[in-house]
Structures are given as structure tokens and as C-alpha cells.
Amino acid sequence: MRYSNRTSIGRWTSTFVAGAMGVALAVTVLAPSAGASGSSAPGVTSNTISIGATVPLTGPAAPGYDEIAPAMNAVFDWVNAHGGVNGRKIHYTYLDDGYNPANTATLTRKLVLQDTVFADVGSLGTPTQTAVQAFLNSEKVPQLFIESGCNCWSNPKYPESFGWQPPYTVEGKILGAYIKANFAGKKVGYLTQDDEFGQDFIKGLDMELPSASVVSRQTYDAATLAGPLSNQVAALKSAGAQVVALATIPAATALAMLPAAAIGYQPQYVISNVGADAPTVGPLLSSFTQKGGGTAAQAQAAAGLLNGAITDSYFAPESEVSNPWVQVEKKLLVDYAPSLYAKSGLDGNTQYGIALGYTFIQALQAAGKNLTRSGLLTAIAKSGMNFVTPGFVPLSYSSSVHYGFQGAQVIKLSSTAPPAVTPTGSWIGGTAVSPVEMTNVGSGPVTKYTGKISTPPKKLVSTS
Amino acid sequence: MRQQGPPRHSLDNTSWLRRFRLPTQPLLRHLILALCGAGILYLVTSSLSPYNDYEIGEIALYVIALAGLSLLTGMNGQISLGNGAFMAVGAYTMALLMTHTQMNFIVELLAAIGAAAAMGLVIGIPATRLKGPYLAGMTLLFALALPPIADKWSTTFGGDQGLTTTVPNAPGNINPEEWLAWIQIIGALITLVLLANLIQSRFGRSFRAVRDDEIAASVAGIHVGRTKVLAFVISAGCAGLAGGFLGLSTGVVNTGEFPLTLSIQLLAAMVLGGTGSLMGMWWGAVLLVYLSQWSTSLSGYFNLGSGASAYLATIIFGVVLIVVMIAAPTGIQGGLRWTWRRILGLLFRQPAVIHPASGLPDDRVPIYQSDER
């Protein structure tokens, strides 16, 4: 016998109605605020432009990367303090997606459908931005300067999407060419992240290096990265690799170098720009050593493992304190993002954000007074090559190429170079060991860049 | 029939409300309720902005996953920390079919349910030998083990970028967000009707019998192992459909969408909504979708830094869980039911109804121990 085989109106209907009302209430509470009005394009008024982005401010990808959007915002604050671009001040909304594509999808729709942003600028990540590429393109919202070196952003199917940093394959080719020229005949081993980042980087290396010289190919999984990469390092050592090429995130760089040092293995490291920023990797080397039971002195010495490593950079590194760009960047952070400067100082991530912010300002200026989404894209494709940015090489934008920088300079980290000084300490600086070089993601050769290297303009915003 | 059980309320004799009694035949009753729900949601979606419609669609898809979990835990007494991974199985199945074939998307969604259910069978058979934390541990392992597989065979599963999905074009001038929300709402309503019927059927009774006492159930002729596996398979199938819908919402299927925290959040939201309840899952889903947003605007309001706001969502989720468990041990749905009864009691002065099995007042019996949903 059932305890109750029929139900009065009370339970079922009331709870159902209550449930549905609850949903209704929840959504009405969050009903959209009035959008921008009286303007040529969504998100643009006669005196404002609102743009948005999704970035990881929390979660495993956040350390370091959470500095980029605030650094970009410092550029916008600076420009706004000088009257904005064509009289319009920039409102930048960056939301935390925790590097989860499902969150990116929701938050990007919030930015586009509810907050009515003019463009998505400086959003971070390959998996996250892939998730919203189709949506942004179907809504005709520019997806500008994606913070990822995936080879996938220059796709005729997605005209609204533009990459910015050098594709990982370009980095791999430039570093591969350096290995071929400077470590000829040596055995090379790879240790790469087991995803597009690693695979695209390997693609570049393999184009330059003779396949017989590559003796070991090791990988690690970013999602489960928890301890030293001892197995991979031991395999590289037993294969006799004298040069080890790393496509690693900063934590993985540290987790590869420490077990290698522990077994007395000292190969020549060649590290992708992603995992070689000394003010980011240095503290990780120290803290991992301390957590592993090392003394304070050992921890300090561990940061020195970066000494002698080869990497590449596409703008002047923070240790070159006399470089005019570095001076401008530092002043900008001190004046417009003092709390960020106190926390992180000028490091690879804040520099990256500033350079990206500069790029967007240049694009807005090129698009002119009558700002529209399609006008902005046309301006980037037409005059992107002439934008003044901290990058060594010009941006390579055109109507068919949506990659940004396709060139870099090879850098050697060295304890004899001027150090990079940040609030967290003094870290190994770098010196250039190659001219600025250019190439592309295809089979094009690595060539010396012979053009001019830009200097900061006297006035960032023209007051025309 | 009617005289056999104790009367639900004294309303039976007095109230005008009685005229609104729903039919007792389960299918008919559930269909009527689903249609009422559909009507309300239609009014809601057509009056709100596309972004709100998109969120309602997300709520609907989480209701599907939560309802499956609620059935598994509340009705059958098993715990799963792997339902996020079953969602991934469903999502990848649908996305693979979308990439390589030209099938109707309904067929693809059915395949998503089928694949997740099949995986549920594989995991469910050994899981019947485990209980409590051991079972939770095993399902947790499944949630941990699945994403690296997708990374390993990146040519098949698209690696980091994943596989893109496309929502079929909306008919007429319906905007795409509203159309997507409706696909998901219809999926949720169908799932709820089916589960509500299942719970009232022979299978539902065996689920509860096994939950309450396995030995007694087997003496009564119920095949305990088979019953537990069936509950696991149904729960996995629901997660598979929810995963397919999540893939449609996101526009892409990749491992980043299915972190371990998803499985844990599902479990927490299910408990918040009311373990064993189906209707309560709407509350759980609303909290899943909105809590992080509310915390973001809250931290913006109080001008908290990004570091503090990072943990605010988790803190609020925890606080809500604690408050709800203290104020309404049977979840939000249980609390509402209790409140509604009190209001009726004040209005109609009905005597307290005692739950025969536990001897507790009816409205204090945990949902998972009562026969109600």
C-alpha cells in the first residue's frame, strides 16, 4: 500500500508555480539595464566606447595572467585622462571566466547581449576563445587581439577575429633556427605541453631542425600538473639530449628544471616566451624548492637555474631599463595602476597588457571619428602594419592575415645582464643574442628583420 | 482506495481548493503540470531579453543533470561525483556526430543520452559493490580520468580547442537565444515528466526499497544489483543529455567545460534544491547559474579586489548551503513545502499529519525518506 497515492493541489501545483515564479523573479532582477543610445554603433556614444573581455582572474591559469587586463586598463585610463580617443572615453569591462569555456560562453553573451559592448578586446585563452568565436562572428562583434598564440585565429571563416602575439609555430621556427645555427650537431630533446600550445611549437621546431637530431619527445598534461616532471627529465637525460626545448607554462618550466638539477643534468634550455619570464619563473623555482624542504639559501640559488637559458621576446624585456618603451611602460603603471605596480611591478604580463592596450588605441584612432564595427576592422586590415606598438616588428595584419606579430628576437638569460627588478625581488635579466627575425606559420624562411624598430610616440593620442 | 491511506489534509472535506485537484493518473498529471510550466516559461522567455533567455536555457539544462542525480541519490541512495564526466561523454558524442555526420540534431542528442547511459552501465556495474565514500571515490576517479583521454587523442577530440557545435537554425524570426532556450526547456520538461512517472512506477518503488534496506528488498524479490545499476544508468543518461545541451549553449565542446568542480557543484546544488525532489532541482539550477554572477556584482558593489572576489562565489555557495541545511534540512524545496503546509494549516486548522514509517510530523520527514517528490 502506498502511503499516499494522490496529491492535493497544495504540493504539486504550488511548488511548480512557485518554482517557475522564482525563475521569473531571478531573471527580472537581472533584467538588462538600458543600453547605449544615440550612437553610430552598439556600445558607442558621442563620448564613450564600451568594450569587454573575459580573462582568468581566478583558477589555475590566473597567476600572472590576471595582471594583463588591469595593465590594459591602465593604458585606457591614461588615454581617458587625456581626453579619450576622438573625444570618446573607453570603458573596459573584464570578467572572470576562470579559464572555463562554459563560463566564457555565458559571460561573452552577457557582454554582447546585455552590456552591449562595441568589441571584445584582449580576451585570453585558446579553448575559451574558440568557444565564443562563432558567436561573436555571427553577431558581427569584433574579437580583437586574442591573448593566445594558437595558429587558429587567422581563418577566413571568421573575419571578426584577430590574433595578436606571435603564433607558437613562429616562435618554434625562430628558436629552432637559432638551435640549428648555434648548437649544430648536438642532440635535441623536447618537453612540451600536451595540447595545441605544445604541438604548434613543435611544428615550428621540426621545420628547422633535422629530424635525426631530435632524440626524445616528452610531454606533460597541464590539467594534472602537480609535481616535478621527473620521468620526462630522466628520459631526456638518458636519451642524451644536450639541448632541451621547452614549450611550458611558467610552473612547468620550474617543475622541469628542479628535478634535472637534482640529478645533475644541465642541458642547454631553449624555452618558449610563454614559460621564460624570469620575474614569474624565478619565484616559482624558489618556492617549489622551499616547499620540497630546501633551505632559504637553496631556494635563492634555485632561481639561478634560469642562468644561460635561451628564449625569445617580441618586445623589449623589462630588464632593459634604458629602453624608451620600458620607461614609458613603467611610468604608465606607476601613474595609472599604482596598486598593480606595487604588486607585480613591470613584468612580462603587465608589459603584454600595455602593448595590447596600445594596439587597440591605435586601431581606434585609425578607424576615425565615425566609429563602426566594420570600420574598425577595415582600419586594422588596412593600416595595422603602421600601428606604433612596443613590438619589435610591425603587426602583420591585412585583409587575409589576422596574425599580429610574426617576429621575435632570441634572448639569453644571464646573470651578467642587468637584472629585472620587481617588488618581489631581483631576477635574471636577458641580453639579445640574435637580430630581430621574422617568419610565418607556413614554410616561409626565418629572415632578419631589416625595418625600423618603433619608439614611443611623443603623443599617444592625437588631438585632431 | 481513498479510505486506505490517512487523509493528506483536512482540506478534503472543507476546501474550495479541492475543486482544483489534479488527476491522479501519473502520466496525465505530469503532462498537465509540464504544460502549465511550459506556458509560464513561454511567457517568461518571450518577455525577457535574449541574454536572459540564454540563462533560462542554461537553468533548464542543469535541471536535467540535477534531476538525474536527485533520482540516483534521493531515490536510490547512491552518491555520484562523476556526473560532470557523464555530461562530457554526452557532449563529446553529440559533437563528434555533428562533426562527422549530417544527422538530425534530435538523433544526435539521443545518441548523447545513449552513450552516457552506456558509460553509466560500465561504471555502474562495479559501483553496485561499493557504498558511501567508496562509491563517491570511484565516481570521482572517473571524473578525473576522463579529460586526459580527450587530450591524449586530440585529433579525434579536438584537443584544447575541442569540437564546435551548431544549433539548428531557428524557424521564422525567433531570435537564436530564445530558440536555444526552448530546445533546452522542452528537453527538461520531457525529462521531468519521464522521471516523475518512473518514480511512481514499479521501478521507482524498487529504487526506494533498495535505498531503505537492501536485504529486505531482495527478500521481497527485488534484484538489488540490477536496480542500482538501472538508477545509475538513468542518472548518467540525464547527465548525457545535459552535457549535449551544454555543448549547444557553449558552441564548443572541450575538456575545460567539464572540470571536477562541475561534478561537485552539481552535488551541492542537488542537496540545496532538495535531495530526492524533482521540482526542487529548479532551485538548485537557478543557484548554479546565478550565484557566481550575484557574487561578482556583490564584490563590485563592495569594491573588493579580484583576489577576494575570486573566493566570494565559493564562500557564498558554502554559506547558502549551511544556512539552507540549518533552516530547511530537506533543501529549499522541503522548506517551501513546510512553509506552504504551515500557511494552509493556519488557514484551515488542519491537524498535523504523521508519517507512518518514521513517526515524525509529515513535513519534517526528509524528502529522501518520504514517498513524495
Side-chain angles (χ1 to χ4, degrees):
Chain A
M1 184 183 74
R2 297 237 300 273
Y3 165 47
S4 159
N5 66 352
R6 78 191 141 280
T7 321
S8 71
I9 164 150
R11 190 168 56 248
W12 271 99
T13 317
S14 67
T15 50
F16 195 97
V17 173
M21 299 299 264
V23 175
L25 183 71
V27 293
T28 349
V29 167
L30 290 149
S33 50
S37 58
S39 71
S40 48
V44 178
T45 67
S46 57
N47 52 11
T48 60
I49 305 166
S50 48
I51 55 172
T54 53
V55 293
L57 299 176
T58 61
Y65 293 160
D66 60 357
E67 299 163 14
I68 298 176
M72 268 175 80
N73 206 27
V75 178
F76 301 148
D77 283 345
W78 180 31
V79 170
N80 291 347
H82 291 80
V85 181
N86 290 319
R88 296 188 180 101
K89 298 201 169 169
I90 300 165
H91 291 208
Y92 188 38
T93 312
Y94 51 94
L95 303 174
D96 176 22
D97 65 7
Y99 210 63
N100 177 335
N103 294 346
T104 315
T106 309
L107 294 172
T108 304
R109 279 168 178 83
K110 182 174 154 64
L111 289 171
V112 171
L113 301 172
Q114 185 162 312
D115 302 346
T116 332
V117 296
F118 173 64
D120 188 307
V121 184
S123 290
L124 190 145
T126 304
T128 47
Q129 287 307 299
T130 313
V132 293
Q133 194 173 22
F135 168 72
L136 288 171
N137 276 271
S138 74
E139 296 282 326
K140 301 260 180 290
V141 178
Q143 185 184 21
L144 296 183
F145 315 143
I146 303 159
E147 295 170 3
S148 146
C150 180
N151 291 355
C152 48
W153 306 123
S154 188
N155 180 348
K157 230 175 92 188
Y158 296 118
E160 309 275 334
S161 308
F162 283 79
W164 184 76
Q165 73 189 64
Y168 300 128
T169 300
V170 166
E171 268 195 66
K173 281 172 77 174
I174 288 173
L175 289 173
Y178 183 84
I179 295 173
K180 191 168 69 175
N182 293 277
F183 306 113
K186 296 209 169 165
K187 291 179 181 172
V188 182
Y190 297 168
L191 173 54
T192 56
Q193 188 161 305
D194 188 11
D195 61 11
E196 264 83 358
F197 163 38
Q199 286 152 10
D200 285 353
F201 188 75
I202 290 175
K203 216 181 278 173
L205 288 173
D206 282 347
M207 281 186 214
E208 298 298 326
L209 294 171
S211 58
S213 70
V214 184
V215 292
S216 178
R217 291 162 185 266
Q218 300 296 317
T219 61
Y220 71 93
D221 181 47
T224 55
L225 180 70
L229 300 168
S230 310
N231 293 344
Q232 289 90 331
V233 169
L236 288 166
K237 188 187 181 189
S238 69
Q242 296 155 294
V243 176
V244 171
L246 300 178
T248 45
I249 55 174
T253 309
L255 291 171
M257 285 185 160
L258 289 172
I263 57 171
Y265 177 43
Q266 290 172 311
Q268 170 64 53
Y269 290 109
V270 178
I271 315 170
S272 154
N273 175 284
V274 174
D277 182 41
T280 310
V281 180
L284 289 171
L285 282 165
S286 296
S287 75
F288 290 157
T289 306
Q290 216 148 21
K291 276 180 197 157
T295 63
Q298 284 169 328
Q300 206 175 355
L305 288 173
L306 280 171
N307 189 18
I310 300 287
T311 180
D312 68 297
S313 183
Y314 41 98
F315 44 68
E318 63 277 358
S319 56
E320 287 183 19
V321 284
S322 59
N323 181 294
W325 275 112
V326 173
Q327 287 171 348
V328 166
E329 289 161 359
K330 188 171 169 183
K331 181 162 166 34
L332 198 147
L333 271 193
V334 171
D335 291 351
Y336 290 92
S339 61
L340 178 66
Y341 184 74
K343 187 182 135 245
S344 333
L346 189 66
D347 63 7
N349 293 307
T350 44
Q351 281 192 298
Y352 183 110
I354 292 169
L356 208 148
Y358 257 89
T359 310
F360 183 65
I361 299 295
Q362 301 272 308
L364 279 183
Q365 283 191 289
K369 272 200 160 81
N370 185 15
L371 188 59
T372 62
R373 284 170 170 168
S374 63
L376 181 69
L377 295 188
T378 313
I380 294 170
K382 213 175 111 198
S383 44
M385 290 190 181
N386 305 321
F387 290 174
V388 180
T389 73
F392 288 140
V393 299
L395 292 151
S396 48
Y397 298 133
S398 72
S399 55
S400 59
V401 177
H402 285 198
Y403 295 122
F405 302 117
Q406 296 204 64
Q409 188 169 34
V410 181
I411 304 278
K412 184 172 191 173
L413 298 174
S414 159
S415 50
T416 56
V421 181
T422 71
T424 53
S426 171
W427 310 102
I428 286 180
T431 42
V433 288
S434 85
V436 176
E437 288 168 324
M438 288 196 80
T439 185
N440 61 15
V441 294
S443 56
V446 177
T447 55
K448 191 176 158 191
Y449 170 65
T450 51
K452 208 168 123 262
I453 294 196
S454 71
T455 48
K458 288 244 158 43
K459 246 180 176 177
L460 178 58
V461 194
S462 57
T463 44
S464 59
Chain B
M1 275 278 289
R2 190 179 267 196
Q3 298 88 312
Q4 286 176 348
R8 298 289 319 157
H9 304 126
S10 54
L11 295 183
D12 279 13
N13 304 319
T14 56
S15 172
W16 50 271
L17 277 171
R18 211 183 135 195
R19 268 175 263 157
F20 295 102
R21 184 182 290 284
L22 283 163
T24 51
Q25 208 278 322
L27 182 62
L28 200 58
R29 179 220 299 282
H30 298 146
L31 280 176
I32 291 173
L33 284 168
L35 282 176
C36 293
I40 294 168
L41 286 168
Y42 176 74
L43 292 177
V44 171
T45 49
S46 52
S47 62
L48 289 176
S49 74
Y51 174 62
N52 295 138
D53 291 348
Y54 177 82
E55 288 176 316
I56 293 173
E58 283 194 309
I59 292 173
L61 81 87
Y62 284 118
V63 164
I64 300 173
L66 291 174
L69 196 57
S70 184
L71 173 105
L72 181 73
T73 308
M75 290 293 143
N76 196 232
Q78 301 189 75
I79 286 184
S80 169
L81 279 173
N83 274 34
F86 289 124
M87 284 177 76
V89 172
Y92 271 105
T93 308
M94 185 196 70
L96 281 172
L97 289 174
M98 278 187 174
T99 315
H100 299 294
T101 67
Q102 299 290 323
M103 279 186 227
N104 185 310
F105 91 106
I106 296 176
V107 181
E108 291 165 344
L109 283 171
L110 290 175
I113 301 174
M119 190 59 88
L121 187 69
V122 174
I123 304 292
I125 289 173
T128 56
R129 291 156 190 260
L130 299 171
K131 272 189 181 161
Y134 306 104
L135 176 62
M138 184 191 155
T139 51
L140 179 71
L141 188 69
F142 173 58
L144 278 173
L146 207 65
I149 293 176
D151 282 337
K152 193 91 197 157
W153 285 282
S154 58
T155 42
T156 312
F157 296 111
D160 225 10
Q161 286 171 269
L163 304 164
T164 47
T165 62
T166 38
V167 181
N169 286 333
N173 285 332
I174 303 175
N175 78 57
E177 281 75 28
E178 193 176 342
W179 170 239
L180 175 64
W182 266 96
I183 294 173
Q184 292 165 329
I185 288 169
I186 291 169
L189 291 175
I190 292 175
T191 310
L192 288 181
V193 167
L194 291 178
L195 290 185
N197 274 308
L198 182 89
I199 288 172
Q200 288 211 339
S201 74
R202 178 168 69 84
F203 295 104
R205 286 192 296 279
S206 14
F207 286 167
R208 293 192 289 276
V210 167
R211 171 198 69 198
D212 292 338
D213 192 329
E214 291 191 7
I215 296 169
S218 65
V219 167
I222 296 170
H223 193 300
V224 173
R226 210 177 284 162
T227 308
K228 287 171 91 171
V229 171
L230 181 67
F232 214 92
V233 166
I234 292 168
S235 157
C238 290
L241 179 62
F245 281 152
L246 184 65
L248 285 181
S249 265
T250 313
V252 70
V253 173
N254 53 37
T255 50
E257 283 167 49
F258 306 98
L260 184 59
T261 44
L262 175 64
S263 296
I264 295 167
Q265 280 177 340
L266 285 176
L267 198 64
M270 187 268 290
V271 172
L272 275 173
T275 309
S277 158
L278 292 184
M279 289 301 177
M281 295 308 114
W282 288 96
W283 301 113
V286 166
L287 288 174
L288 260 187
V289 171
Y290 283 112
L291 212 55
S292 65
Q293 289 195 22
W294 286 334
S295 77
T296 308
S297 39
L298 201 68
S299 64
Y301 183 77
F302 290 112
N303 218 353
L304 297 175
S306 67
S309 62
Y311 300 103
L312 199 63
T314 322
I315 292 169
I316 292 179
F317 209 76
V319 169
V320 169
L321 191 62
I322 292 169
V323 168
V324 167
M325 285 302 106
I326 291 171
T330 48
I332 296 175
Q333 185 68 9
L336 285 175
R337 197 176 288 171
W338 181 84
T339 315
W340 178 249
R341 297 267 174 80
R342 281 296 128 107
I343 293 169
L344 282 185
L346 286 175
L347 288 176
F348 302 110
R349 293 171 189 283
Q350 54 182 306
V353 179
I354 302 298
H355 181 243
S358 63
L360 288 167
D362 184 80
D363 49 20
R364 275 300 179 198
V365 178
I367 299 177
Y368 59 83
Q369 279 181 20
S370 85
D371 290 346
E372 301 167 5
R373 288 142 303 279

